[in-house]
Amino acid sequence: MRIDRGTGWLAHVAEVVTKGTGEVERTADRAQVDVTFEALGAERSEAVSTLNQRISAVEPLLENFEVRSRQLSVHDNWDNNQRAGSRASQQYVIWVSDLDRLDGLLAELVQAEPSWINGPTWTLVDDTEAIREAQKEAVADALRRAEGYASALGRRLGPLLRIGDTEGGHYAPMARSASFEMAGAAGMVDQLNLKAQQITVSASCTAAWSLLD
């Protein structure tokens, strides 16, 4: 709405509302590796003791990496409603920013014979620049669409009235990862081609523009 200067009456302002999307790709610069070690025992204390022995060689490997979490789980095993010993497990979430060291870390983890490894999952250390670039593309896309509608109506596109994010988020990593059981020589890790993948960062917006005569 606007106030007509000649009459003082409120007049309706015609507008066009468009949605825009933008995407940019960046090469991942951080890898996440999830690894779990397990141990069995007749009692919980025995399972935990065995687990501690298994991970005693693992902790020194992680001193130069960012361990995001260590999660311990201890529980009884059951077979036909009868207790059948206990199981203890510890899960690590590890971030690797120096990607040149990733293959070496995976090889050493494999040698430690965990129950499973999942990773790497690829991310960006800082996605600020990529998000802003995607936002610029989204706004430009919305503007192109608005100009197209204005032209189709034989009108001129006026000032931007409002703009906001379209629900759905702006960060969409193409996170390809490898999950493998502990088998084979650790030296074969470098044959898995675990190279840094491309991350797609996207943005979307909804914008309203005024239409001029």
Side-chain angles (χ1 to χ4, degrees):
M1 304 294 288
R2 64 176 173 82
I3 298 178
D4 187 283
R5 293 182 179 179
T7 64
W9 289 94
L10 291 176
H12 180 71
V13 176
E15 63 180 47
V16 59
V17 179
T18 57
K19 292 182 178 180
T21 59
E23 287 188 352
V24 298
E25 286 193 354
R26 297 290 185 268
T27 302
D29 54 8
R30 179 168 63 200
Q32 176 175 312
V33 177
D34 301 294
V35 58
T36 296
F37 293 85
E38 295 181 325
L40 301 176
E43 304 292 339
R44 293 184 182 184
S45 59
E46 181 182 344
V48 170
S49 177
T50 303
L51 176 64
N52 283 333
Q53 294 176 12
R54 296 195 62 186
I55 65 175
S56 62
V58 176
E59 288 292 339
L61 302 178
L62 306 180
E63 290 179 354
N64 296 320
F65 297 93
E66 184 176 358
V67 180
R68 297 296 295 177
S69 71
R70 292 174 173 84
Q71 185 173 357
L72 174 67
S73 174
V74 183
H75 61 87
D76 292 331
N77 292 327
W78 296 88
D79 184 12
N80 293 326
N81 295 323
Q82 292 187 346
R83 184 177 175 280
S86 298
R87 180 187 302 268
S89 64
Q90 179 144 309
Q91 180 180 2
Y92 295 88
V93 177
I94 308 163
W95 279 3
V96 182
S97 297
D98 183 355
L99 299 184
D100 290 337
R101 303 175 60 192
L102 178 61
D103 283 353
L105 172 64
L106 290 173
E108 290 180 306
L109 289 175
V110 169
Q111 286 182 331
E113 297 188 352
S115 298
W116 58 267
I117 292 179
N118 184 60
T121 300
W122 301 101
T123 61
L124 295 172
V125 172
D126 185 357
D127 61 2
T128 302
E129 179 275 332
I131 290 173
R132 290 179 177 174
E133 186 64 29
Q135 288 172 328
K136 289 180 181 179
E137 291 196 10
V139 172
D141 183 39
L143 177 58
R144 285 192 296 268
R145 293 172 184 269
E147 289 173 336
Y149 284 119
S151 177
L153 292 169
R155 307 282 289 273
R156 292 181 296 119
L157 192 66
L160 175 69
L161 299 176
R162 59 186 179 276
I163 189 171
D165 281 336
T166 299
E167 186 176 356
H170 54 239
Y171 190 61
M174 298 171 59
R176 290 190 288 172
S177 62
S179 179
F180 44 95
E181 295 282 335
M182 296 304 97
M188 296 186 66
V189 168
D190 59 1
Q191 300 178 27
L192 296 178
N193 194 30
L194 301 177
K195 302 299 182 182
Q197 303 297 328
Q198 293 297 301
I199 301 293
T200 298
V201 179
S202 63
S204 59
C205 67
T206 299
W209 319 77
S210 62
L211 286 174
L212 306 178
D213 295 334

